[in-house]
Amino acid sequence: MTELGMFAYPWDLTDPSPEAAVAELAALGVRRIEVATAYHSAETIRPRRTAGVHVVIEPNVAHLPLDTSAFGMLAPSPGQLARRQPDLYPRLAAAARQHGMALTGWTIALHQSKLAEEYPEQALENCFGDRSGHGLCPANPEVAQYVVELATAVAATGHFDELMIESLSYTLAGHGHPHELWAVRLDPARRLLLSLCFCPSCLAAGQERGIDATALRSWVADRLGRDWNAPLAGVRTPDDGSELATLLVSRPDLAAYLRMRCEVVNDLLHRVVERGHRHGVRVVSGSAVWARPAAHNWMEGLDLGSIAAIADGVALMPYHPDPADVARDLDIATALMPPGRLQMLQTIWNSHHRDVDTLWAKIEQGLAVGIARFALYNLAMAPAAVLGWVPEVAARLANHSDPGRLADRPDTDRRQP
């Protein structure tokens, strides 16, 4: 059976009531609500409203009450919603059950500006020794423990049958919020090099694998300095991603270091999945947030084939206006994992789809390769006309032949990549 989900922010499910919001989603044909539990900084526009249209999201907090005793040094602060409406998530869960719907806890892991600023020693550290203002390092033991504790705390609430863990990865330079100013190229090759973490934990992980990470760090810094200040730097065409292969072939230590980052993420994801299963909750790993298209997910330390073998599924985000680009991402992903492991996400934004048929053409590609789970991003940001597409998409999915469903695998099928 196919499934259509909808991503939503919890503050958009309170007016006039959680029960009414769930009923509205059920009427649209949505069968799963993917509600944010801990979210990063952002500003959104809610075009269907006449008040509270431009929203500055309370950043980097837990939006539902969590057991604070379950956390060590790093912990998410309880947000206003958690303090003022502690019954919101239980009510959402009860209303979803009433309508035969499922509830996913959408949880942001390492994209955490507040903790990165408060604990800079836990943040990513680039080749110049500068600490990230928005990304925590998954190789850092205290950060890894925080991610496991966060996933455990959300799963232990009992509200969800599934967690969707987003940004369990090495976040890239170029946050997008707040203002970032630079006058040099930050194309794929330069962005990768600037994003590499050389904190003590990553240096140690590299050295354990026989990589001279200190020498690599010096080379990366020299290469960026050269590329930004070379005589042709200001007039050449930016890299389209093709220079990445040259870097990997010419620097075997860089290739090994990137493999190490994938192994760090895999190990942490293993721990998160184990904790989710301990509470009877499935764990779906988000694909890369910044490193897109799908062929570039490894830039964030996400080896799609490996994470599909560890988690209960992978939420792929082929957010492209052109259906051919969506098909490229789907083809790459299904070459790395069985299609039943994939959940395909699409926005409900005019900037990505000119009409419902364009959106459906992309979803139909997913169906053609055997994907059964789909979700739309997200409820609040869709203009009225675009939200009106959802019932038609839901009806077309319901009428489509069943290509198979993402199923739980026995523990014996879980393997270390």
Side-chain angles (χ1 to χ4, degrees):
M1 179 182 296
T2 57
E3 177 188 83
L4 181 64
M6 178 71 77
F7 282 81
Y9 299 130
W11 47 90
D12 295 316
L13 301 174
T14 61
D15 185 15
S17 71
E19 292 77 14
V22 172
E24 177 188 3
L25 286 167
L28 291 174
V30 171
R31 306 314 304 158
R32 177 177 292 277
I33 305 171
E34 312 223 15
V35 60
T37 62
Y39 203 68
H40 53 72
S41 61
E43 298 184 26
T44 66
I45 292 176
R46 302 188 290 184
R48 303 192 307 278
R49 293 176 176 256
T50 58
V53 175
H54 178 218
V55 177
V56 179
I57 293 172
E58 184 182 14
N60 307 296
V61 297
H63 299 297
L64 75 169
L66 297 177
D67 180 6
T68 56
S69 68
F71 291 90
M73 181 183 75
L74 302 178
S77 301
Q80 294 182 21
L81 206 58
R83 296 192 302 270
R84 295 175 181 175
Q85 298 188 49
D87 65 341
L88 173 59
Y89 287 80
R91 290 172 67 183
L92 288 172
R97 287 192 298 270
Q98 183 179 358
H99 288 277
M101 302 166 72
L103 196 64
T104 294
W106 172 25
T107 304
I108 308 301
L110 297 172
H111 180 190
Q112 236 286 5
S113 304
K114 184 174 184 291
L115 292 179
E117 292 171 359
E118 290 180 357
Y119 300 94
E121 66 277 10
Q122 317 302 331
L124 300 165
E125 179 181 348
N126 68 22
C127 60
F128 304 110
D130 309 316
R131 292 286 184 165
S132 170
H134 68 272
L136 301 173
C137 179
N140 184 289
E142 290 169 331
V143 170
Q145 188 61 30
Y146 160 73
V147 173
V148 173
E149 290 165 352
L150 177 63
T152 303
V154 174
T157 63
H159 306 322
F160 312 105
D161 74 325
E162 177 179 273
L163 297 184
M164 192 285 231
I165 302 294
E166 181 182 310
S167 75
L168 202 166
S169 64
Y170 283 89
T171 59
L172 297 187
H175 183 202
H177 191 264
H179 296 297
E180 291 164 325
L181 304 173
W182 42 69
V184 294
R185 281 198 329 278
L186 205 63
D187 51 19
R190 260 51 59 181
R191 193 179 193 188
L192 171 67
L193 295 178
L194 185 61
S195 301
L196 292 176
C197 182
F198 293 98
C199 73
S201 297
C202 283
L203 290 175
Q207 290 163 0
E208 288 172 3
R209 292 162 174 80
I211 304 167
D212 188 343
T214 301
L216 177 63
R217 177 180 188 160
S218 296
W219 175 83
V220 171
D222 290 344
R223 178 61 186 262
L224 284 172
R226 179 267 170 207
D227 288 357
W228 286 336
N229 295 286
L232 301 180
V235 296
R236 57 151 286 178
T237 302
D239 172 41
D240 60 2
S242 58
E243 289 182 41
L244 294 169
T246 299
L247 289 174
L248 299 183
V249 170
S250 63
R251 295 292 309 199
D253 54 346
L254 175 60
Y257 201 71
L258 290 166
R259 182 65 239 170
M260 175 273 290
R261 287 157 55 97
C262 292
E263 291 168 358
V264 166
V265 169
N266 290 346
D267 290 345
L268 181 51
L269 181 59
H270 262 295
R271 296 172 61 188
V272 168
V273 170
E274 188 276 329
R275 289 298 186 95
H277 290 178
R278 188 180 299 181
H279 291 278
V281 175
R282 296 158 39 82
V283 177
V284 170
S285 173
S287 60
V289 175
W290 288 274
R292 298 174 185 164
H296 288 174
N297 272 208
W298 57 266
M299 293 171 64
E300 288 186 32
L302 290 170
D303 173 354
L304 288 176
S306 293
I307 64 174
I310 297 166
D312 296 299
V314 176
L316 188 70
M317 307 173 199
Y319 297 159
H320 308 292
D322 189 338
D325 291 332
V326 175
R328 174 198 59 204
D329 278 10
L330 293 174
D331 186 52
I332 289 168
T334 53
L336 297 171
M337 71 187 79
R341 310 299 296 160
L342 282 167
Q343 180 189 35
M344 178 182 173
L345 278 53
Q346 283 292 289
T347 67
I348 36 179
W349 298 351
N350 286 120
S351 58
H352 286 159
H353 324 288
R354 65 177 178 269
D355 51 36
V356 66
D357 289 328
T358 306
L359 172 59
W360 177 250
K362 298 170 184 177
I363 292 174
E364 199 167 33
Q365 291 175 346
L367 290 166
V369 297
I371 297 172
R373 301 189 69 199
F374 301 86
L376 302 174
Y377 176 84
N378 86 25
L379 175 64
M381 291 189 280
V386 180
L387 191 66
W389 301 346
V390 177
E392 183 171 349
V393 169
R396 292 186 188 185
L397 273 176
N399 291 331
H400 196 278
S401 59
D402 181 4
R405 184 181 175 88
L406 179 67
D408 288 327
R409 292 175 299 164
D411 289 341
T412 53
D413 191 34
R414 300 188 182 281
R415 54 190 172 85
Q416 173 71 40

